[in-house]
Amino acid sequence: MTGMEGRSLFKGKYLSDEIIWERALQLIRERDEIYLQMARPGTAQDPQRMKELSIKLHELNPLCLLIEELKSQFKNYLLVQELLTLGDSPGEEELQWQEEYQSRCQQLALQVYRALLDKGCLEEEVENPLDLEILKFIEYAGPEYAWRLSINVNITVEKARECLEKLLWKGLLERVPGNMLGNYHRQKDWTKHMNHTYYRITREGRLYLRQLRREQEEQMGWEEG
């Protein structure tokens, strides 16, 4: 299931609608599996197991019901879209149906998206503090490679590489060979460092940080007001 009229339904920062739908539907499959487990012979005779399953079911059910409502409303929206394409000239009532279903889908999609974030199902959509520290450092200091970055932000090289790859996947950083940077660090042993793969901030990365700072300034203004 994709977005509406060529636009994203969930408005994810990095993940497509297809991936977000799959994460949502996986929760429904987990809930249905719990129902099956609870119905299996012998489960009812195990109070501890029943308690564990009931707690998990209680946690999943509200979100699953919301996801199922979104699915239903989205199917109705697609049906109206199909009817409109078949008609020569859609009437006012049909256009009103389309607008109502579209508005309802957008409201539900926002609720589902936020709930999935809260549940930790969309980790790729969130920059943790370390990701932001690395992004801000590279914006300030310029292109850097994993080993030097690990020293500057006081983390292991392995962790630095992990964060760099994540920011690379999100399009906030890009790789650049050292020999493309010229005498970047202006060190005596620059020739040795030219063989490293560097990471530099992209236009999207700069825009992201700019937007983040703007939001923080607005938040501070609201708090002071």
Side-chain angles (χ1 to χ4, degrees):
M1 288 180 279
T2 57
M4 44 185 64
E5 299 177 359
R7 292 173 293 176
S8 171
L9 175 62
F10 294 101
K11 296 182 173 63
K13 290 191 292 184
Y14 307 108
L15 297 177
S16 65
D17 278 2
E18 288 81 1
I19 293 176
I20 297 175
W21 270 121
E22 178 55 32
R23 303 278 175 90
L25 297 178
Q26 177 60 34
L27 295 179
I28 292 180
R29 291 193 288 270
E30 289 181 20
R31 180 204 59 184
D32 293 345
E33 177 59 28
I34 292 175
Y35 278 124
L36 290 175
Q37 291 182 38
M38 296 178 75
R40 286 171 185 162
T43 305
Q45 283 70 47
D46 186 345
Q48 182 60 33
R49 180 58 176 160
M50 282 294 292
K51 180 180 179 180
E52 293 172 357
L53 293 173
S54 297
I55 291 173
K56 193 167 184 180
L57 185 63
H58 179 73
E59 293 174 350
L60 284 175
N61 245 336
L63 179 51
C64 287
L65 291 174
L66 187 64
I67 294 168
E68 288 175 332
E69 184 180 359
L70 174 59
K71 280 179 60 182
S72 176
Q73 293 292 332
F74 192 68
K75 287 179 180 178
N76 289 335
Y77 169 80
L78 294 178
L79 179 60
V80 171
Q81 282 290 96
E82 185 177 353
L83 292 174
L84 289 177
T85 57
L86 293 175
D88 295 331
S89 179
E92 183 177 340
E93 186 176 5
E94 288 82 2
L95 292 175
Q96 185 176 353
W97 286 348
Q98 180 193 35
E99 185 176 343
E100 289 177 357
Y101 281 127
Q102 179 172 328
S103 176
R104 183 59 178 154
C105 284
Q106 290 171 339
Q107 293 172 8
L108 288 168
L110 179 59
Q111 294 178 51
V112 169
Y113 178 79
R114 287 175 174 171
L116 291 173
L117 281 175
D118 291 341
K119 195 169 177 58
C121 298
L122 304 176
E123 293 182 0
E124 298 94 332
E125 291 287 277
V126 181
E127 268 72 58
N128 62 41
L130 181 55
D131 292 337
L132 288 176
E133 182 181 357
I134 288 174
L135 193 62
K136 290 175 181 178
F137 176 82
I138 292 178
E139 179 193 39
Y140 168 77
E144 196 54 276
Y145 59 93
W147 182 76
R148 281 177 57 94
L149 181 66
S150 69
I151 295 174
N152 281 292
V153 297
N154 194 28
I155 57 176
T156 66
V157 177
E158 291 74 18
K159 188 63 179 177
R161 289 197 181 104
E162 177 186 329
C163 294
L164 288 168
E165 287 300 314
K166 188 191 304 181
L167 293 168
L168 179 72
W169 176 83
K170 291 178 176 180
L172 302 178
L173 293 180
E174 62 183 354
R175 288 193 186 97
V176 54
N179 57 18
M180 297 285 290
L181 294 173
N183 191 17
Y184 176 67
H185 286 292
R186 305 186 185 280
Q187 298 172 337
K188 293 180 180 179
D189 58 350
W190 170 247
T191 303
K192 177 177 66 176
H193 297 292
M194 285 176 62
N195 297 323
H196 290 292
T197 296
Y198 282 73
Y199 294 80
R200 66 183 174 193
I201 194 167
T202 62
R203 178 177 179 275
E204 289 75 13
R206 293 185 188 280
L207 290 174
Y208 174 78
L209 290 179
R210 191 179 306 165
Q211 178 63 28
L212 190 65
R213 294 187 184 104
R214 187 179 298 120
E215 291 173 358
Q216 290 172 341
E217 290 171 359
E218 291 175 354
Q219 182 65 33
M220 290 176 61
W222 293 335
E223 291 174 356
E224 291 173 359

